[in-house]
Structures are given as structure tokens and as C-alpha cells.
Amino acid sequence: MSHAPKTPLLDRVRSPSDLKALSDADLAKLAEELRAETIASVSQTGGHLGAGLGVVELTVALHAVFDAPRDKIIWDVSHQSYPHKILTGRRERMGTIRQKDGLSGFTKRSESPYDPFGAAHSSTSISAALGFKVAADLGGTPPEGSGDSIAVIGDGAMSAGMAYEAMNHAGDLGRRLIVILNDNEMSIAPPVGAMSRYLSRLYAEAPFQDLREAAKGAVSLLPPPFREGARRAHDLLKGMAVGGTLFEALGFSYLGPIDGHDMDQLLPVLRTVKARADGPVLIHCITQKGKGYRPAESAPDRGHARAKFDVATGEQKKAPSNAPSYTKVFARALIDEAARDSRVVAVTAAMPDGTGLDLFAERYPSRCFDVGIAEQHGVTFCAGLAAGGMRPFAAIYSTFLQRGYDQVVHDVAIQRLPVRFAIDRAGLVGADGATHAGSYDVAYLSNLPGFTVMAAADEAELVHMVATAVQHDEGPIAFRYPRGEGVGVEMPERGVPLEIGRGRMIREGGRVAILSFGARLKEVLEAAEALAARGIAPTVADARFAKPLDRELILTLAREHEALITIEEGAVGGFGSHVAQLLAEEGVFDTGLKYRSMVLPDIFIDQARPEEMYVVAGMNAEHIEAKVLSLMGVAQVAGRRA
């Protein structure tokens, strides 16, 4: 049984302005209470834990020193925003986080004036903060007023080029802008690349105590004749230790590193910056992801995402699995193919665990590459691998692949390079909401010449599609699959390459045909059973391919049925639109075929359980059944029967 922590100081906080009346000692105690409250809250709901625990002191210090919402505090990615939400009037609603009609797991402009900018993808905070600052300087008048702009960005997010584009622009403009580098040495996965090594060297090799004292303002306490010499000694010390800083080269005044869990350092530094900054400033804070909760501190991912858990033990309360997850099926299939083909390599953008490539890396470490939060580079890196004779698989979530779309077009598609895109989290994904929904990849890939686009109807089909992708050297190929468990079908011992552009018949029927693309096939079959009980036996087919289309299958279904319905877990403009184009060009509509396309609605669907999201989308078995009845002109009869 869980017990709410005792939080006498936190109980007095209704908004950040209440922090102004607290002493520095009380603020340190408040941070302890906020950490306990965050742990207790996430234990009841599940969600992102480790990132928030790593910024508890920073969150308290920021809200104590600055004046939100007039001052814009922008959390990059915002996995770490739970403590911020608790302090900004949303404590009583934390039990609804990531649930239907509840709080978002990320910052969200429509949720609170204290969330000036929505963020669920990484590396956007500096650009947004600079935009707020320039808008304020030009007379912009947001409802909460205009003050300072503060971007809080993690070291993992600093691996993305967008962060440097923003810093380069900010340094050039020279405007007052505050960037806090939350350096916890770990994003979701351990950070990779030269930037991570640079940051590690920055605080590992420099005399930390000397830099810390300088950051705390020790130099300003010296008698005037000694200050200039101390400043030069400090600069020389930094130069000797690390050869200067990249941030200063980009035009930022650099402060740090400082201990991001020490209020005696955070508060003086933030107050000094608020009082004196006259240009772009970067404050380098060293923090620990999962800080203060041993089960998170000791976990490989430092407690990044958690199901509900027991506070005392950290044990998560996950529902038992009845079928393998699609992600693990993909990973095992790829490992199997790699055992037979040394040209198979895998690339992920900071999501080895989420894509299953951590399993691949254990088996083939020299053939697995984590490029960090750098999807653009990852895609072009794969293009180079393909041009160099390898068979690269880019395992990237649908929502994150959007960030590398220009590279998909120019570096892969135009050059017809055989990059294999394994698109995880296709469709609606649940608690992460609209920002993480895999809604658009079918549309944005199927319109590219020479692309092959597949969708797995079940976990066995996914195994075959991995095998298909390995053997496909004629151009780029993509296959999509949803989050979560498979449907429990019998698994093949080995994947068998599919014939490109060829679907499959699932069941023969009459009058109406349902052509499914992707993982809604299970719902289609349930709808077909319900329709059969009403005397309507639809034909059901699995398209497998959105591009190239199975022309023969589609035209046969159109010719032999009064009506045809397509269904896909994607936005308008995808599979159904391509089918409609084919039917129109072939003159099928001229002969009276009834045609409907079931796609995701033209809205952003907020977080909920996936099954609840598909109710909103109108794509479950009962919705498919209703669509067929309506199309066949028997919906009123169905209503009377009901």
C-alpha cells in the first residue's frame, strides 16, 4: 500500500509566485518534497520518471528566481516537466497524466500558461526561446507578457544539429538569451558521439572546484586589484584544461560546470545571470537522471519511462504479455537475417531499446550504430552505407522519421538507394498522444517515386517483411508496424520474401470487399464475423503493399463486388488515396462501384489508451461494421434491430 509523502512546504505552493517568500534553506527543503511528490505521483500513473527527478532542484531554482509565465521557461523534449507541472498549479491533476482527458506527459500550450511552448520531440527549445526573445524585442505581446527566455536542454538533445543552428543564430544576434545545458550524461539511452565525449572532458578534466567557485561568484568577492588577475587565471585554466569551449566560439558566455543538485550553486548563478546578462548565456549544469530514487538511479535507463510501480521496491506493475511485441519480433527477425548476411547493418537515432536494436547490438556490436538524436544524419548515413554495398536498416519511429524527411527524399529516394526503413510505432500509440502518433508515414513515403511501402498485418507478416527488405536491392523499402503486442498468430521459423506489390486474400465473400492495409486486419475480421451474423459475408483481403499497389487484386475486388472499403492506420493521402487514384484512372467509378476509405480523422488525437484513441478515430470493429452497413444501405435496419 502506498502512502502520500509529507509535504508541508509544497502544500503551500499554488503557483510559482509562492516560492518568492521562501528562504534559500526552505527552497532546498521544497526540492526534497517535490522529489518525493514526483515519485509518489508517477508510481500511481506510470510515465516519465528519471528525467524529472534529475531536474527537481533546477525546477525549483528557476521558478524561485524567474517570473513565469512572463518569463518563458522552455523545457526541451519535456519528459522532465512533471515537477514543473506540480509547481504550476497542476498538482491536483497529476493523477490524470498521460490519460484520456488528462494532463499531457509533455509541456502543452493549451494546458497551461506556464507551458509557453509544446515539446515532445527534442532539440527545439533554443530555437523557440530565441523566437520568444526576438518577438519581445520587436514588441510582441503574448497574453502573459514578455520577459526572459530560458531554454533547458539536455546533453542528449544537444546531439541534434537543430540545437547548434539555433545557438549559431543566437550568438550572431547577440540578444539576451539563457540556455541551461542539463548535462546528465544520459538521454534515454547513453549519449553517443563526439559531443558527449566533449562534455565529459569539459567537467572531468577541468578543476571542478575552481570553476564551481568562479560560477558561484567568488571572483566578484575579491578586492578590485585582484579581480582581473583572477579572471585571467580562470580563463587560462579553462583554456589549458579543455582548449576553450565550443559554446563560447558560438557567441555564448559560458558558466559552469555547476552542480545542478546544489541549491547553494544554482540560486546564486541564476540570480547573477538574471541581474547581469546582456547577451546569450549558457549555464552548464551537471545532474543525475533518476536522482534521489535508488531504483531509478540503478536502472539502465535511469527510470526514463515507467509503468505503475511500488515506491518501496521500484517493482513495476506491468500486465502479463500474451504475445511477443512487434518490436522484439522485428529485432529477432533482423538478427536472424544478419546471421546469414554480413551486409545487414542497423542504425537507430538514440532509441536502441525502443526499436529493439539493443538486442541486435548485443549480437552484432560492430554492425549496429546509434547516431544520437540525429535522424537527418542517420538517414543519410544509411544512404552512404547502402551506396557502399551494405544493407542498412534504419529503425526509427514513424513520428521521428518525419525529422529526416528531406534526407529521405534527396539522399535516398532520388538516388534510388536501397535503404530499409523499419518504422516502429505506426498508428496511434497511446499515452504519448498526438506528438508520437505514427499517422503520416504511409502518405509521405508512398508519394515518392521508386519507394516500396509495406505494412504488417500481424507479427508473422512482420517477419516476412524483414526478409523481403533484406533481399530488396532495387531501391528504398519501408515496412511499418504498431507499438505493443502482436495478435498471437503462429510464427514462421524463418521469414520468406514476399512478392513485391502482391497482396493476399484472407476470406472470400460477396457484395462488399474490405481491403486492409496494416494492423487493422484483426478488427476487420471481427467486423466480418459480426456482419456474417447479419447475413452479409464480406470478402477480406490484406493489401500488404501501399506502393506498388496490387493492381490485379484491387481491380478484381472492384469488378466482383458492389462496394469496396479500404482501411489503414494513417492520415488521408495514403493507401486509400492511391487506391482511389487507380480506380479512377481505370474508369471503375464510371460503372457504379461504391467506394469508401477509412483513415485516421483530420484531427490530432490527444493521449489515451490506444483502444480509446481508435474509438475517437472510428476504426474499431464496430465502426468497420457500421461503415459496411451504411454503404450497403442497411444501417437503418441495423438500428431497428438494435
Side-chain angles (χ1 to χ4, degrees):
M1 182 176 179
S2 62
H3 298 278
K6 294 182 179 179
T7 55
L9 283 171
L10 184 59
D11 294 343
R12 292 160 48 188
V13 175
R14 291 291 176 265
S15 73
S17 61
D18 295 326
L19 275 63
K20 307 294 183 184
L22 299 180
S23 68
D24 288 5
D26 281 344
L27 290 173
K29 293 177 183 177
L30 176 65
E32 294 177 4
E33 294 181 12
L34 181 57
R35 176 170 282 107
E37 178 74 10
T38 301
I39 294 168
S41 176
V42 180
S43 76
Q44 297 299 308
T45 63
H48 301 109
L49 178 64
L53 297 183
V55 297
V56 166
E57 288 82 7
L58 180 58
T59 304
V60 171
L62 282 170
H63 280 298
V65 172
F66 291 96
D67 301 307
R70 181 176 179 273
D71 292 331
K72 312 304 179 188
I73 302 173
I74 301 171
W75 300 92
D76 205 285
V77 182
S78 68
H79 289 136
Q80 73 276 48
S81 65
Y82 292 20
H84 160 79
K85 288 177 184 258
I86 292 171
L87 291 181
T88 53
R90 287 168 277 183
R91 183 183 182 187
E92 301 304 320
R93 296 190 64 207
M94 289 301 290
T96 71
I97 202 160
R98 290 162 51 90
Q99 299 170 34
K100 182 175 173 59
D101 300 323
L103 295 177
S104 170
F106 307 97
T107 53
K108 189 174 183 180
R109 280 175 53 83
S110 61
E111 185 177 291
S112 171
Y114 292 97
D115 293 356
F117 200 77
H121 288 190
S122 107
S123 315
T124 61
S125 61
I126 304 174
S127 297
L130 183 60
F132 273 110
K133 178 58 182 172
V134 171
D137 290 349
L138 294 175
T141 55
E144 302 80 25
S146 298
D148 275 316
S149 292
I150 306 105
V152 185
I153 184 168
D155 55 311
M158 287 293 287
S159 65
M162 184 175 177
Y164 296 99
E165 294 172 12
M167 291 187 70
N168 184 59
H169 189 202
D172 180 61
L173 291 178
R175 310 287 178 99
R176 174 179 164 118
L177 178 72
I178 301 165
V179 175
I180 298 176
L181 174 57
N182 174 37
D183 184 358
N184 57 30
E185 298 187 87
M186 186 176 191
S187 47
I188 295 173
V192 297
M195 172 50 58
S196 176
R197 290 191 293 273
Y198 171 77
L199 294 176
S200 296
R201 190 172 70 248
L202 192 63
Y203 64 80
E205 296 183 4
F208 187 85
Q209 292 296 327
D210 289 349
L211 293 180
R212 183 168 66 186
E213 291 302 316
K216 289 171 67 176
V219 171
S220 65
L221 301 178
L222 294 172
F226 294 97
R227 290 179 187 174
E228 181 62 23
R231 185 190 63 78
R232 286 198 303 268
H234 169 65
D235 292 343
L236 178 63
L237 187 64
K238 283 201 301 181
M240 290 174 62
V242 299
T245 72
L246 171 63
F247 311 115
E248 289 172 334
L250 289 171
F252 277 70
S253 297
Y254 171 85
L255 258 180
I258 64 172
D259 184 346
H261 299 297
D262 185 348
M263 297 294 278
D264 288 337
Q265 293 182 51
L266 284 170
L267 291 169
V269 169
L270 291 177
R271 287 166 180 156
T272 299
V273 167
K274 181 180 181 181
R276 300 182 183 179
D278 58 2
V281 176
L282 186 136
I283 305 171
H284 186 178
C285 291
I286 309 302
T287 63
Q288 180 183 0
K289 194 172 183 179
K291 172 73 172 179
Y293 185 53
R294 187 174 297 278
E297 291 179 353
S298 59
D301 66 350
R302 301 297 187 269
H304 170 66
R306 285 292 177 269
K308 298 177 183 180
F309 62 91
D310 181 87
V311 173
T313 65
E315 181 179 355
Q316 297 184 68
K317 304 170 185 177
K318 292 185 177 180
S321 175
N322 297 316
S325 72
Y326 281 97
T327 298
K328 285 190 176 179
V329 169
F330 159 69
R332 290 166 182 163
L334 189 63
I335 290 169
D336 188 50
E337 295 293 340
R340 292 187 290 268
D341 189 338
S342 62
R343 293 171 293 175
V344 171
V345 295
V347 176
T348 181
M351 296 297 293
D353 294 353
T355 59
L357 290 192
D358 57 331
L359 303 176
F360 187 92
E362 289 176 5
R363 184 76 172 271
Y364 299 107
S366 67
R367 291 157 63 184
C368 189
F369 304 92
D370 183 351
V371 300
I373 304 176
E375 290 83 3
Q376 292 175 296
H377 162 64
V379 170
T380 303
F381 176 56
C382 284
L385 285 167
M390 302 303 287
R391 287 177 162 172
F393 279 74
I396 302 175
Y397 292 2
S398 172
T399 183
F400 297 147
L401 185 58
Q402 294 162 189
R403 309 189 84 184
Y405 187 62
D406 186 68
Q407 287 68 31
V408 170
V409 175
H410 287 270
D411 300 333
V412 176
I414 289 177
Q415 301 190 89
R416 296 189 61 84
L417 288 169
V419 174
R420 289 87 175 159
F421 292 93
I423 303 176
D424 203 332
R425 272 52 170 189
L428 303 177
V429 298
D432 284 334
T435 58
H436 282 58
S439 305
Y440 313 109
D441 56 272
V442 178
Y444 70 63
L445 294 179
S446 294
N447 63 1
L448 297 177
F451 237 97
T452 298
V453 181
M454 304 180 285
D458 54 48
E459 60 269 39
E461 283 289 291
L462 177 56
V463 174
H464 297 313
M465 289 180 180
V466 173
T468 305
V470 170
Q471 298 301 319
H472 187 75
D473 291 321
E474 290 71 44
I477 187 168
F479 52 96
R480 72 192 314 254
Y481 47 98
R483 181 181 188 177
E485 298 176 357
V487 299
V489 299
E490 183 178 352
M491 296 295 288
E493 291 186 9
R494 178 178 175 180
V496 177
L498 305 174
E499 182 181 349
I500 299 297
R502 183 69 66 185
R504 57 173 179 156
M505 290 293 297
I506 303 298
R507 59 188 293 173
E508 299 278 359
R511 295 191 65 194
V512 60
I514 306 175
L515 180 58
S516 177
F517 178 67
R520 287 288 96 185
L521 180 60
K522 180 177 181 290
E523 299 293 323
V524 169
L525 292 173
E526 289 183 14
E529 291 294 332
L531 288 164
R534 294 177 178 268
I536 299 175
T539 293
V540 176
D542 174 16
R544 281 179 166 162
F545 294 84
K547 190 168 190 179
L549 292 172
D550 188 338
R551 295 171 56 90
E552 181 180 343
L553 173 64
I554 294 168
L555 294 176
T556 297
L557 293 175
R559 184 172 59 251
E560 296 180 355
H561 298 82
E562 300 173 29
L564 173 62
I565 297 173
T566 62
I567 182 167
E568 63 189 294
E569 296 173 299
V572 64
F575 172 69
S577 296
H578 284 257
V579 171
Q581 177 75 11
L582 169 64
L583 296 174
E585 290 301 317
E586 293 294 326
V588 175
F589 294 134
D590 301 345
T591 61
L593 175 74
K594 298 177 181 178
Y595 175 73
R596 298 292 186 272
S597 178
M598 297 183 72
V599 299
L600 294 178
D602 192 29
I603 59 173
F604 293 111
I605 301 177
D606 285 334
Q607 73 277 355
R609 291 181 296 119
E611 51 268 33
E612 293 173 327
M613 298 180 82
Y614 280 110
V615 169
V616 175
M619 296 187 72
N620 287 331
E622 60 267 28
H623 305 111
I624 300 168
E625 178 187 0
K627 177 71 75 172
V628 171
L629 293 173
S630 174
L631 188 57
M632 302 307 292
V634 294
Q636 290 184 347
V637 174
R640 285 197 295 270
R641 286 178 181 174

